[in-house]
């Protein structure tokens, strides 16, 4: 269900509470405040909250604006409807195949998005209420704490659509579960339930769906009641290593992803998705198109 406008922060509230963040100007994201906790919701449920150009631009803008918001001490990131985020929008991916030139500009954008996310001083809790796939999974895993419903599906299936996992998955998975397990899931694109992800240490906690909101709210309020600077500067210290990895790995990862977007294998995988069948990959014809 799409979050109705009536339940979002009003213009007067946004001015009083955030001193300048115009929440009403966002269309792909919805906002709700609970004291010093700001709930941010991917609000494209009709596409399972897939990330298109507009949502990516709005996420970048939000990550740039929220650090200056004195009323926000904790951010809860979640998705409207059944999914957290299903990752890349299929129409957006098809456009990249049909018109490849803009694809190469996405390299800088993907790096910028993760850099901005890591620079947000407030703790970010990902509330994974449903599927977190591809870029959606990456956004959840780069958050500071990850809570998921036991039934949620978590995966980075780039390889299943003939794509390189270059937009952050190859960075964060090894940091959370080690290289051996990260390779197993990134090279196969296999899916985990929330319960399995918690058992592997990929996320913090997996709970029954009906318990998820209360558990996240309790942690969010606990963090919001903490010593603000101590919490934020501890987060900043921990994130130094991740920021270094993003700075050194994202260019190569996204360059390989851009290269893979021009392969016959990728075109076949997207066509198969549209036709609701399994792709037929060919190791020879799967090379980049000339």
């Amino acid at each position: 269900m799409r979050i109705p406008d009536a339940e979002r922060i009003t213009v007067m509230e946004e001015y009083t509470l955030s001193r300048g963040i115009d929440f009403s100007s966002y269309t792909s994201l919805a906002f709700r405040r609970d004291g010093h906790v700001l709930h941010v919701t991917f609000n494209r449920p009709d596409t399972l909250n897939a990330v298109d150009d507009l949502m990516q631009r709005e996420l970048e803008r939000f990550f740039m604006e929220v650090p200056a918001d004195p009323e926000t001490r904790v951010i809860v990131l979640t998705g409207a409807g059944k999914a957290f985020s299903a990752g890349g929008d299929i129409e957006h991916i098809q456009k990249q195949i049909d018109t490849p030139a803009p694809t190469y500009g996405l390299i800088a954008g993907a790096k910028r998005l993760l850099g901005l996310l890591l620079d947000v001083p407030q703790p970010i809790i990902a509330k994974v209420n449903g599927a977190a796939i591809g870029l959606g999974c990456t956004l959840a895993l780069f958050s500071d704490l990850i809570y998921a419903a036991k039934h949620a599906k978590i995966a980075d299936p780039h390889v299943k659509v003939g794509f390189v996992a270059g937009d952050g998955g190859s960075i964060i998975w090894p940091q959370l579960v080690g290289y051996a397990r990260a390779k197993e899931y990134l090279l196969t694109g296999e899916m985990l339930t929330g319960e399995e992800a918690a058992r592997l240490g990929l996320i913090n906690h997996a709970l029954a769906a009906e318990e998820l909101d209360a558990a996240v709210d309790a942690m969010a309020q606990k963090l919001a009641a903490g010593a603000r600077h101590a919490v934020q500067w501890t987060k900043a210290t921990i994130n130094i290593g991740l920021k270094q990895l993003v700075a050194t790995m994202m260019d190569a990862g996204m360059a390989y992803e851009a290269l893979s977007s021009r392969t016959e294998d990728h075109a076949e995988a997207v066509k198969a998705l549209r036709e609701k069948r399994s792709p037929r990959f060919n190791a020879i014809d799967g090379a980049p198109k000339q």
Side-chain angles (χ1 to χ4, degrees):
M1 177 182 294
R2 181 178 290 275
I3 295 178
D5 292 341
E7 295 182 13
R8 302 190 194 184
I9 293 175
T10 66
V11 174
M12 182 59 69
E13 288 172 330
E14 79 197 14
Y15 177 81
T16 302
L17 296 175
S18 67
R19 301 180 189 176
I21 299 180
D22 183 5
F23 290 113
S24 66
S25 67
Y26 289 83
T27 58
S28 295
L29 304 176
F31 302 88
R32 175 176 64 84
R33 195 183 292 283
D34 181 9
H36 289 298
V37 178
L38 182 64
H39 294 259
V40 183
T41 303
F42 301 130
N43 203 29
R44 300 184 68 221
D46 50 321
T47 66
L48 298 179
N49 302 314
V51 180
D52 61 0
D53 282 338
L54 176 60
M55 182 182 283
Q56 178 156 335
R57 289 197 303 270
E58 290 193 345
L59 279 170
E60 289 180 19
R61 177 158 65 95
F62 172 70
F63 292 148
M64 285 189 286
E65 291 180 337
V66 76
D69 178 8
E71 296 300 322
T72 296
R73 295 193 175 189
V74 178
I75 298 163
V76 174
L77 190 62
T78 193
K82 298 179 179 180
F84 179 80
S85 173
D89 182 85
I90 188 65
E91 297 301 329
H92 179 56
I93 293 172
Q94 184 65 58
K95 287 179 183 177
Q96 293 175 33
I97 294 172
D98 298 338
T99 311
T103 300
Y104 308 118
L106 297 176
I107 296 174
K111 184 178 180 180
R112 183 171 60 247
L113 178 63
L114 291 186
L116 289 168
L117 189 160
L118 290 173
D119 273 338
V120 172
Q122 298 95 328
I124 300 174
I125 302 175
K127 182 169 67 176
V128 182
N129 52 306
I133 308 297
L135 180 56
C137 176
T138 295
L139 291 170
L141 297 185
F142 268 93
S143 299
D144 302 302
L145 297 173
I146 309 107
Y147 285 66
K150 289 182 178 180
H151 73 271
K153 303 298 184 184
I154 299 172
D156 191 328
H158 275 70
V159 295
K160 288 193 171 184
V161 290
F163 240 173
V164 170
D167 61 6
S170 57
I171 298 172
I172 195 63
W173 280 68
Q175 305 310 307
L176 298 174
V177 297
Y179 279 92
R181 282 176 171 161
K183 288 178 182 178
E184 177 181 351
Y185 288 100
L186 292 175
L187 297 181
T188 63
E190 292 301 314
M191 197 168 292
L192 292 163
T193 64
E195 195 167 19
E196 291 168 335
R199 190 161 56 244
L200 287 178
L202 187 68
I203 66 173
N204 295 88
H205 301 284
L207 303 103
E210 63 272 16
E211 299 173 356
L212 185 61
D213 286 347
V216 170
D217 288 346
M219 176 55 75
Q221 294 298 335
K222 182 177 184 178
L223 290 173
R228 182 173 188 168
H229 292 308
V231 170
Q232 292 186 2
W233 293 341
T234 297
K235 168 182 170 171
T237 303
I238 295 169
N239 275 0
I240 289 172
L242 284 176
K243 289 166 69 174
Q244 290 173 337
L245 288 172
V246 168
T248 57
M249 294 178 64
M250 279 293 289
D251 287 336
M254 286 305 297
Y256 278 124
E257 184 167 317
L259 188 63
S260 67
S261 74
R262 302 302 300 144
T263 62
E264 296 289 348
D265 277 346
H266 176 57
E268 159 62 13
V270 174
K271 183 179 180 182
L273 275 175
R274 289 180 169 279
E275 296 175 356
K276 295 180 171 46
R277 60 173 175 81
S278 297
R280 295 182 288 272
F281 294 132
N282 186 306
I284 297 176
D285 293 338
K289 292 183 282 188
Q290 301 299 315

